[in-house]
Amino acid sequence: MARKKQAGAGQAAPRLKSTDIARLAGVSVSAVSLAINGRPGLSEATRRRILEVADELNWRPHRAASALKGASSDVVGIVIARPARTLGVEPFFAHFLSGLQSCLSGQGIATQLLIVEDTEAQTAVYRRWAAENRVDGLVLLDLEVDDPRPQLVADLGIPAVTLGSHDSPMPLTSVWVDDHAAMVGILRYLSSLGHRHIGHVSGITSFQHTRRRLQAIGDVRTTLGTEVDSIPTDFSDAQGAEATRRLLRAGRRCTAIVYDSDVMAIAGLGVATEMGLSVPGDVSLVSFDDSVLTTMAHPPVTALTRDTFALGTLTATELLRVMSDDPDPRATQAPTPRLVVRGSTAPPAPPADRGPHPAGAVEGR
C-alpha cells in the first residue's frame, strides 16, 4: 500500500517533512538527517529503511533549510569576468561547460554560472557564496598572474579546482594545458615553411595562459630566426580584427599571423579578404583554438585542436575528487593540443610575388 495519500482534485499535495519520514520509518529526525546526508552513526539496515521510505515518497530535504544547516546544495559555481557578449560567441566555453556539466550531472550536481565585471567582483561573489553555503565547489577560470583568488577560496574552505594554473606551491588542485609547448609547436611549424616575420594576436596579457604563450615566443624566436610582433586584445572579434589591420598595414608586413582564439582568427581572415590579400598566398593564418568556425571557413584554418569537452569532464572529475576526499592540492595535466594543418597556411611567397602594401586598400571597420 502506498504510504502517501493522493491530494484531492485541485489541491496541492501536502509538503512532507523530515518528521514525516522519521515517523514512517520508526526513527528519530536526527537519524533521517544522518541517512540523507550520508553521515556515519547508523546501522546499514536503519539507513536503508530510511532511504527506502524517502525514495518511495520522492522526498528530498528543503534546500533553504539544508543551506542554513550547512548541508550540501548540490551546486558547483563558476564566476567569469569577461564581457557576456564575447562569451556568447566563444565555442571553447560552450564545449568546456558541456563537458563539465555532463560529468556533474551523473552525481546530481548542477552548475551555477555568473558573469561579472572584474576580479574584485569575483572575490565578492566567492565570499557571499561561502557565507550562504550556496555552492559545494568552485571552478576558477582565467587565472591571472599573482592572482589572489586561489588563496582566498582555499581560506574560505570551498572545495575548488583551477583551470590553467600549475604554479608551485598551489593552494588548490588544478587542471592545466601546456600552452608553452603548444605555442612552440606553432612557431616551429611556421618556421619550417619559411616564415620569418610573424604576427601574434594575443589575448588578455594578465592571464597566466597568455603569459605562457608570450614566454614561448621569447624562448624560441632567436633559435628559429623569427621576428614575432604581438598585439594584445580582449579576445573579441572586434579587437582581433583591428589587430590584424595593424599587422597587415605595418611597414614590414608579416607573412603569417597566429591568433589566440578561433573567433579572432576568423575575424582576421575576414580582414585579410577585405584588404585584398589572399590566404595563404599573401599571409598564412593559424588559430590557437579549433572549432566548427575554423573548419567551415574558406579556406579552413590551420589550428591547434583538442577535446575541449573532455577537458571539461577532466576538470569535473578532479573537482568531485576534491569535494569528496579533501586531498592535498595537485596539478593534473591535460593532453597538449595538436596542430591540424589546413588550407590557411603555406610557405611565404617570394618578396617579388607579394602583393602591394595594403595600407590604403580598405579603411572599413
Side-chain angles (χ1 to χ4, degrees), residues 242-306:
E242 182 55 34
T244 302
R245 291 188 183 95
R246 288 175 56 189
L247 289 169
L248 294 179
R249 288 175 178 155
R252 185 183 177 191
R253 176 161 55 85
C254 54
T255 62
I257 303 177
V258 180
Y259 296 85
D260 269 8
S261 80
D262 46 356
V263 171
M264 293 196 297
I266 299 306
L269 177 59
V271 167
T273 301
E274 170 190 288
M275 297 178 74
L277 298 174
S278 69
V279 177
D282 293 315
V283 60
S284 290
L285 305 182
V286 180
S287 171
F288 207 94
D289 283 328
D290 198 10
S291 72
V292 67
L293 296 179
T294 55
T295 59
M296 293 182 66
H298 181 74
V301 177
T302 294
L304 286 173
T305 189
R306 58 182 165 187

Side-chain angles (χ1 to χ4, degrees), residues 41-286:
L42 297 175
S43 69
E44 284 305 310
T46 300
R47 186 186 307 277
R48 186 165 52 251
R49 184 167 75 253
I50 295 170
L51 294 177
E52 286 175 354
V53 172
D55 185 62
E56 182 179 343
L57 299 178
N58 195 30
W59 178 82
R60 297 292 183 272
H62 191 269
R63 286 212 179 272
S66 298
L68 289 173
K69 295 175 183 177
S72 169
S73 57
D74 294 336
V75 174
V76 163
I78 302 175
V79 187
I80 301 177
R82 286 202 199 184
R85 189 178 299 276
T86 300
L87 289 175
V89 296
E90 188 76 62
F92 173 88
F93 282 102
H95 294 161
F96 175 79
L97 292 175
S98 295
L100 184 84
Q101 185 60 69
S102 71
C103 184
L104 296 177
S105 293
Q107 303 296 320
I109 298 174
T111 303
Q112 180 170 342
L113 174 64
L114 193 62
I115 300 174
V116 298
E117 293 297 320
D118 51 32
T119 301
E120 183 178 352
Q122 284 179 309
T123 58
V125 172
Y126 295 147
R127 292 182 186 279
R128 186 176 75 250
W129 282 357
E132 298 173 354
N133 293 305
R134 183 71 63 85
V135 296
D136 296 305
L138 291 170
V139 176
L140 277 62
L141 305 175
D142 291 339
L143 264 67
E144 299 181 348
V145 177
D146 299 324
D147 200 312
R149 291 176 296 156
Q151 190 59 58
L152 169 66
V153 170
D155 292 341
L156 291 172
I158 307 176
V161 168
T162 67
L163 178 65
S165 176
H166 60 285
D167 296 334
S168 183
M170 299 180 301
L172 299 175
T173 285
S174 70
V175 174
W176 67 285
V177 178
D178 195 340
D179 291 273
H180 186 283
M183 179 59 82
V184 168
I186 291 176
L187 296 178
R188 284 178 175 165
Y189 165 69
L190 291 175
S191 176
S192 72
L193 292 178
H195 294 281
R196 295 293 177 264
H197 189 195
I198 300 170
H200 174 220
V201 180
S202 85
I204 298 170
T205 55
S206 62
F207 288 173
Q208 291 185 17
H209 60 266
T210 301
R211 288 290 183 91
R212 286 194 288 271
R213 299 175 192 183
L214 293 171
Q215 182 63 50
I217 292 172
D219 289 345
V220 300
R221 75 167 83 207
T222 301
T223 304
L224 297 178
T226 59
E227 286 186 37
V228 182
D229 296 327
S230 291
I231 297 178
T233 72
D234 63 356
F235 285 107
S236 69
D237 56 336
Q239 290 199 13
E242 182 55 34
T244 302
R245 291 188 183 95
R246 288 175 56 189
L247 289 169
L248 294 179
R249 288 175 178 155
R252 185 183 177 191
R253 176 161 55 85
C254 54
T255 62
I257 303 177
V258 180
Y259 296 85
D260 269 8
S261 80
D262 46 356
V263 171
M264 293 196 297
I266 299 306
L269 177 59
V271 167
T273 301
E274 170 190 288
M275 297 178 74
L277 298 174
S278 69
V279 177
D282 293 315
V283 60
S284 290
L285 305 182
V286 180

Side-chain angles (χ1 to χ4, degrees), residues 10 19 26 30 178 281 316 326 360-361 363:
T19 52
S30 61
D178 195 340
D326 192 25
E363 293 295 330

